[in-house]
Amino acid sequence: MSSLGRRINEYRRQRNITQEQLAETMGVTSQAVSKWENDISCPDISVLPQLADYFGVSLDLLLRGETPGGVQLMPQNQRKDFDRLTLRIVATSADGDYAKINLPMPLIKVGLEIGIPLVQTMQLGNRGAVGDTLKQIDFEGMVKLAESGVIGKLIEAKSADGDNVEIYVD
């Protein structure tokens, strides 16, 4: 299992940004980011949600390196309100392309109801294996799963060429 510092470094590199750029975004010094990445210190607790949001990951994923329990079917009395759920798509290509998409579930539902082709709207439909993978996603099925209380990482697709697509509901 990797450390928090290694995960911060990995996410930063996936975004193709420098320590200085991350530091500026987080309102800290580049030395602070360096210390985080070398496991000399940890980000302040108030910065952790900001980091998770910036990298498009959950706090569990940032802190633990995984979402506990993976996919979960939440009991009716513990479900998050559907209107507060988000479909997160993280796509990276072997060429260094990176896309992070956070779509509120109600927006997806409305888009499907009025017939908007979501992948084309996101302008990812023609991006090699990443676009091909996104074209195969059953967004209607994702909405139904979310409405039924399913949360977590629903899809992780990796191509032989090094392209990667992960889809979460949280």
Side-chain angles (χ1 to χ4, degrees):
M1 180 184 279
S2 68
S3 67
L4 173 60
R6 286 186 184 174
R7 285 188 295 280
I8 292 171
N9 178 274
E10 180 181 320
Y11 292 135
R12 179 181 60 78
R13 290 178 185 271
Q14 285 177 355
R15 295 285 304 260
N16 198 27
I17 61 168
T18 65
Q19 287 182 340
E20 292 78 17
Q21 290 169 314
L22 179 59
E24 184 177 323
T25 301
M26 295 297 122
V28 298
T29 66
S30 58
Q31 291 84 1
V33 173
S34 177
K35 287 180 181 180
W36 299 344
E37 291 186 358
N38 289 298
D39 293 314
I40 296 169
S41 68
C42 292
D44 184 85
I45 194 164
S46 64
V47 175
L48 290 171
Q50 198 178 350
L51 274 170
D53 288 346
Y54 181 74
F55 292 133
V57 299
S58 68
L59 276 171
D60 282 328
L61 195 56
L62 179 66
L63 293 173
R64 296 181 180 171
E66 59 186 41
T67 301
V71 175
Q72 298 176 341
L73 175 60
M74 301 302 292
Q76 184 73 34
N77 63 345
Q78 295 179 12
R79 291 182 187 169
K80 201 174 182 181
D81 180 18
F82 178 80
D83 290 342
R84 297 186 53 131
L85 290 175
T86 301
L87 182 73
R88 291 188 304 110
I89 302 171
V90 180
T92 54
S93 74
D95 299 333
D97 293 329
Y98 175 83
K100 176 183 82 171
I101 303 157
N102 295 310
L103 296 169
M105 291 304 289
L107 179 66
I108 296 171
K109 188 173 182 178
V110 168
L112 290 167
E113 288 171 358
I114 62 176
I116 294 175
L118 293 171
V119 174
Q120 288 78 4
T121 302
M122 292 183 283
Q123 299 180 355
L124 295 170
N126 297 320
R127 294 200 180 187
V130 169
D132 292 342
T133 301
L134 291 174
K135 286 178 186 175
Q136 296 175 34
I137 295 170
D138 177 5
F139 286 98
E140 188 173 338
M142 296 288 171
V143 168
K144 287 179 182 176
L145 286 171
E147 288 176 324
S148 300
V150 174
I151 62 168
K153 184 192 284 187
L154 303 181
I155 295 176
E156 181 174 0
K158 294 183 181 187
S159 74
D161 296 332
D163 297 321
N164 184 37
V165 175
E166 296 177 353
I167 300 177
Y168 304 82
V169 170
D170 54 19

